[in-house]
Amino acid sequence: AIQMTQSPSSLSASVGDRVTITCRASQGIRNDLGWYQQKPGKAPKVLIYAASSLQSGVPSRFSGSGSGTDFTLTINSLQPEDFATYYCLQDHDYPLTFGGGTKVEIK
Amino acid sequence: EVQLVQSGAEVKKPGESLKISCQGSENSFTTYWIGWVRQMPGQGLEWMGIIYPGDSETRYSPSFQGHVTISADKSITTAYLQWSSLKVSDTAIYYCVRHHVHSSGWRLDYWGQGTLVTVSS
């Protein structure tokens, strides 16, 4: 199975900060990667698919980049509602595999 | 709007069987893949497998193959996840999620609300 290594596992940031989360695949996955946000007690929600395509309805402060093995989720000007846990997911091959998650907390 | 409505929380004993459900809100249920994702207490997300309700083709993660069965009844737009013999380690929230095929992969775009399964003696 393709392993997804996500970093950092947690971070503290302030409202207005720019936040970057990275994900590395154990082998090349082209651009077959998505980013998901999960708030406590809620189901995850897709933010980005195909590495850089913004899901409809998601604010433009979220952006994704990368291809091959290295990917980045960037949140520009962090908002109070963005404090959550973020997961990458490779959908290049079965089984689909998630990264370990990044918890974004308030500084 | 697409909705996936899951069955309610369950409390079971080790060794018991269980089948949880996920009902879709639209007739196009049979033209999308529906999958299941596990989240153990305080842990991350794990992809378990998917089914195409149109013809019941399934794909499993090796981590779950043989321990769970994914099925669907397209006539009632419902997908299922079942266990024949639960373990304490099956305690988790289970999400059903629609897998939307796009040009180069999948997009998990609609999620159920989650079903909490607690297995305890």
Side-chain angles (χ1 to χ4, degrees), chain A residues 84-100:
Chain A
T85 300
Y86 294 84
Y87 296 91
C88 61
L89 169 70
Q90 71 80 17
D91 54 82
H92 179 72
D93 196 11
Y94 297 112
L96 277 60
T97 44
F98 287 94

Side-chain angles (χ1 to χ4, degrees), chain A residues 30-32 36 38 41-46 49-50 55 87 89 91-92 94-100, chain B residues 33 37 39 43-47 50 59-62 95 99 102 104-109 111-113:
Chain A
R30 300 183 309 196
N31 68 335
D32 299 332
Y36 295 79
Q38 187 180 32
K42 299 293 186 182
K45 164 188 168 183
V46 60
Y49 64 96
Q55 173 71 0
Y87 296 91
L89 169 70
D91 54 82
H92 179 72
Y94 297 112
L96 277 60
T97 44
F98 287 94
Chain B
W33 291 77
V37 171
Q39 187 165 40
Q43 302 300 309
L45 305 172
E46 299 173 272
W47 187 84
I50 50 174
R59 311 264 173 91
Y60 290 94
S61 166
Y95 293 100
H99 287 50
H102 60 84
S104 63
W106 299 101
R107 178 170 26 130
L108 280 57
D109 59 356
W111 294 68
Q113 82 276 19

Side-chain angles (χ1 to χ4, degrees), chain A residues 6-14 19-22 35-41 73 75 78 81-88 99-107, chain B residues 39 42-44:
Chain A
Q6 194 173 334
S7 62
S9 56
S10 65
L11 65 89
S12 295
S14 300
V19 167
T20 299
I21 299 168
T22 64
W35 290 97
Y36 295 79
Q37 176 195 65
Q38 187 180 32
K39 296 182 179 180
L73 172 69
I75 311 172
L78 196 68
E81 60 267 30
D82 301 336
F83 292 95
T85 300
Y86 294 84
Y87 296 91
C88 61
T102 297
K103 187 173 184 179
V104 177
E105 300 174 300
I106 301 172
K107 183 182 286 184
Chain B
Q39 187 165 40
Q43 302 300 309

Side-chain angles (χ1 to χ4, degrees), chain A residues 16-88:
Chain A
D17 283 355
R18 183 184 189 194
V19 167
T20 299
I21 299 168
T22 64
C23 220
R24 173 165 288 176
S26 59
Q27 64 187 72
I29 59 171
R30 300 183 309 196
N31 68 335
D32 299 332
L33 183 113
W35 290 97
Y36 295 79
Q37 176 195 65
Q38 187 180 32
K39 296 182 179 180
K42 299 293 186 182
K45 164 188 168 183
V46 60
L47 301 174
I48 301 284
Y49 64 96
S52 60
S53 295
L54 192 68
Q55 173 71 0
S56 175
V58 173
S60 59
R61 62 180 179 273
F62 292 93
S63 64
S65 64
S67 67
T69 59
D70 294 307
F71 301 86
T72 300
L73 172 69
T74 300
I75 311 172
N76 283 303
S77 189
L78 196 68
Q79 297 300 298
E81 60 267 30
D82 301 336
F83 292 95
T85 300
Y86 294 84
Y87 296 91
C88 61

